[in-house]
Amino acid sequence: MKHELPKLAYGYDALEPYIDAKTMELHHSKHHQAYIDKLNTVLEKYPDLQGRPIEELLSDLQNLKAEDADRTMIRNQGGGHLNHTLFWKYLDPANKMDELVAKEIKSTFGSMDDFKKTFTESATKLFGSGWTWLMRDGKNSKLIIQNLPLQDNPVMLGHQAILGLDLWEHAYYLKHQNRRPEYIENFWKVFKF
Ligand code: MN
C-alpha cells in the first residue's frame, strides 16, 4: 500500500486573504506530495512496514526493523506526511475545535486569549524549522504547548496532537517573507474555536 496525498476538503483560495492560494497550492501539491513520495520510496525496501498506518510507524520508530538512515527518513518524511495531513484539517473552514477541548484549554491556560498568547510566544521563539503543538500528554492527559523540531509529531513522544502550526518558511515566505508574527496572527484568523 502506497501512501497518498489526501484531497483538500476546500479550495486553495478558501483561506484568502489570510493564507494565500499560491502558498496553499505549493504547500499541498508540492511540499506535502514530496514527503509522501520520499516516504513511499524508503518503504519500498520494507514490505512489512508498507501496510501500517503512518501514526503507528511514527509511534513505534525505535522498534522498526529498518536501517538507521532509513528510520531517519521515515521519521522526517513520514512526520511530514502526518503533520501536513493534520494541518489541512486544522485549517479547514468547516472545522471547529471540539467544545470539550476548548473548555479544557480555558481551564488549563486561564482563557482562550491566554492560550493563544502562550502558543504564539512559543511559535515566535522557535529557532529554525519546526512546528508549535498543542498536545495531550500521553502520561497524565494534561494539555501542553511545545515546539518540536523539523517534522517531528507528538505521537513520537507518546503524546496526542490537538493543534499544530507549521513554522517552516515554505508555509509563509511567499506572502509574509520574514514576518513570522504576521503569519501566526493570520493563522488565528483562520483557525476556529
Ligand atoms: Mn509545511
PDB file of all heavy atoms in Angstrom, residues 3 7 18 52 81 134 147 191:
ATOM      1  N   HIS A   3       1.370   5.336   0.344  1.00  0.00           N
ATOM      2  CA  HIS A   3       0.718   6.491   0.970  1.00  0.00           C
ATOM      3  C   HIS A   3       0.339   7.484  -0.132  1.00  0.00           C
ATOM      4  O   HIS A   3       1.061   7.640  -1.102  1.00  0.00           O
ATOM      5  CB  HIS A   3       1.664   7.133   1.982  1.00  0.00           C
ATOM      6  CG  HIS A   3       1.918   6.243   3.160  1.00  0.00           C
ATOM      7  ND1 HIS A   3       1.085   6.217   4.253  1.00  0.00           N
ATOM      8  CD2 HIS A   3       2.871   5.309   3.382  1.00  0.00           C
ATOM      9  CE1 HIS A   3       1.543   5.314   5.121  1.00  0.00           C
ATOM     10  NE2 HIS A   3       2.612   4.750   4.620  1.00  0.00           N
ATOM     11  N   LYS A   7      -6.884  14.518  -0.364  1.00  0.00           N
ATOM     12  CA  LYS A   7      -7.505  15.670  -1.039  1.00  0.00           C
ATOM     13  C   LYS A   7      -7.833  16.744  -0.013  1.00  0.00           C
ATOM     14  O   LYS A   7      -8.271  16.439   1.089  1.00  0.00           O
ATOM     15  CB  LYS A   7      -8.804  15.221  -1.713  1.00  0.00           C
ATOM     16  CG  LYS A   7      -8.583  14.559  -3.048  1.00  0.00           C
ATOM     17  CD  LYS A   7      -9.782  14.876  -3.996  1.00  0.00           C
ATOM     18  CE  LYS A   7      -9.486  14.383  -5.396  1.00  0.00           C
ATOM     19  NZ  LYS A   7      -9.564  12.906  -5.495  1.00  0.00           N
ATOM     20  N   TYR A  18      -5.999  35.487   4.363  1.00  0.00           N
ATOM     21  CA  TYR A  18      -5.052  35.217   5.461  1.00  0.00           C
ATOM     22  C   TYR A  18      -3.939  34.270   5.043  1.00  0.00           C
ATOM     23  O   TYR A  18      -2.781  34.473   5.341  1.00  0.00           O
ATOM     24  CB  TYR A  18      -5.805  34.680   6.675  1.00  0.00           C
ATOM     25  CG  TYR A  18      -6.917  35.609   7.080  1.00  0.00           C
ATOM     26  CD1 TYR A  18      -8.251  35.227   7.014  1.00  0.00           C
ATOM     27  CD2 TYR A  18      -6.603  36.910   7.483  1.00  0.00           C
ATOM     28  CE1 TYR A  18      -9.262  36.104   7.350  1.00  0.00           C
ATOM     29  CE2 TYR A  18      -7.608  37.800   7.822  1.00  0.00           C
ATOM     30  CZ  TYR A  18      -8.938  37.391   7.752  1.00  0.00           C
ATOM     31  OH  TYR A  18      -9.928  38.267   8.076  1.00  0.00           O
ATOM     32  N   ARG A  52       1.256  -0.462   7.219  1.00  0.00           N
ATOM     33  CA  ARG A  52       0.939   0.091   8.550  1.00  0.00           C
ATOM     34  C   ARG A  52       0.636   1.582   8.474  1.00  0.00           C
ATOM     35  O   ARG A  52       1.328   2.332   7.794  1.00  0.00           O
ATOM     36  CB  ARG A  52       2.098  -0.183   9.513  1.00  0.00           C
ATOM     37  CG  ARG A  52       2.290  -1.673   9.755  1.00  0.00           C
ATOM     38  CD  ARG A  52       3.535  -1.955  10.565  1.00  0.00           C
ATOM     39  NE  ARG A  52       3.436  -1.409  11.918  1.00  0.00           N
ATOM     40  CZ  ARG A  52       4.459  -1.447  12.794  1.00  0.00           C
ATOM     41  NH1 ARG A  52       5.611  -1.978  12.454  1.00  0.00           N
ATOM     42  NH2 ARG A  52       4.303  -0.955  13.996  1.00  0.00           N
ATOM     43  N   HIS A  81       4.440  13.865   6.268  1.00  0.00           N
ATOM     44  CA  HIS A  81       3.148  13.415   5.737  1.00  0.00           C
ATOM     45  C   HIS A  81       2.047  13.543   6.804  1.00  0.00           C
ATOM     46  O   HIS A  81       0.999  14.147   6.565  1.00  0.00           O
ATOM     47  CB  HIS A  81       3.289  11.963   5.248  1.00  0.00           C
ATOM     48  CG  HIS A  81       2.007  11.333   4.806  1.00  0.00           C
ATOM     49  ND1 HIS A  81       0.977  12.064   4.232  1.00  0.00           N
ATOM     50  CD2 HIS A  81       1.565  10.041   4.856  1.00  0.00           C
ATOM     51  CE1 HIS A  81      -0.024  11.248   3.940  1.00  0.00           C
ATOM     52  NE2 HIS A  81       0.301  10.023   4.315  1.00  0.00           N
ATOM     53  N   LEU A 134      -0.035  22.068  20.279  1.00  0.00           N
ATOM     54  CA  LEU A 134      -0.830  21.847  21.483  1.00  0.00           C
ATOM     55  C   LEU A 134      -1.071  20.350  21.502  1.00  0.00           C
ATOM     56  O   LEU A 134      -1.568  19.788  20.517  1.00  0.00           O
ATOM     57  CB  LEU A 134      -2.170  22.592  21.408  1.00  0.00           C
ATOM     58  CG  LEU A 134      -3.175  22.206  22.524  1.00  0.00           C
ATOM     59  CD1 LEU A 134      -2.688  22.681  23.889  1.00  0.00           C
ATOM     60  CD2 LEU A 134      -4.564  22.777  22.222  1.00  0.00           C
ATOM     61  N   ASN A 147       7.236  23.269  21.253  1.00  0.00           N
ATOM     62  CA  ASN A 147       7.793  23.290  19.902  1.00  0.00           C
ATOM     63  C   ASN A 147       8.494  21.963  19.650  1.00  0.00           C
ATOM     64  O   ASN A 147       9.208  21.465  20.520  1.00  0.00           O
ATOM     65  CB  ASN A 147       8.838  24.404  19.766  1.00  0.00           C
ATOM     66  CG  ASN A 147       8.230  25.793  19.836  1.00  0.00           C
ATOM     67  OD1 ASN A 147       7.042  25.964  19.564  1.00  0.00           O
ATOM     68  ND2 ASN A 147       9.036  26.769  20.193  1.00  0.00           N
ATOM     69  N   PHE A 191      -8.055  29.650  12.013  1.00  0.00           N
ATOM     70  CA  PHE A 191      -8.446  28.545  12.885  1.00  0.00           C
ATOM     71  C   PHE A 191      -9.656  28.932  13.740  1.00  0.00           C
ATOM     72  O   PHE A 191      -9.714  30.016  14.289  1.00  0.00           O
ATOM     73  CB  PHE A 191      -7.283  28.124  13.793  1.00  0.00           C
ATOM     74  CG  PHE A 191      -7.648  26.953  14.647  1.00  0.00           C
ATOM     75  CD1 PHE A 191      -7.744  25.693  14.085  1.00  0.00           C
ATOM     76  CD2 PHE A 191      -7.970  27.124  15.987  1.00  0.00           C
ATOM     77  CE1 PHE A 191      -8.132  24.609  14.859  1.00  0.00           C
ATOM     78  CE2 PHE A 191      -8.354  26.047  16.758  1.00  0.00           C
ATOM     79  CZ  PHE A 191      -8.438  24.788  16.200  1.00  0.00           C
TER      80      PHE A 191
END
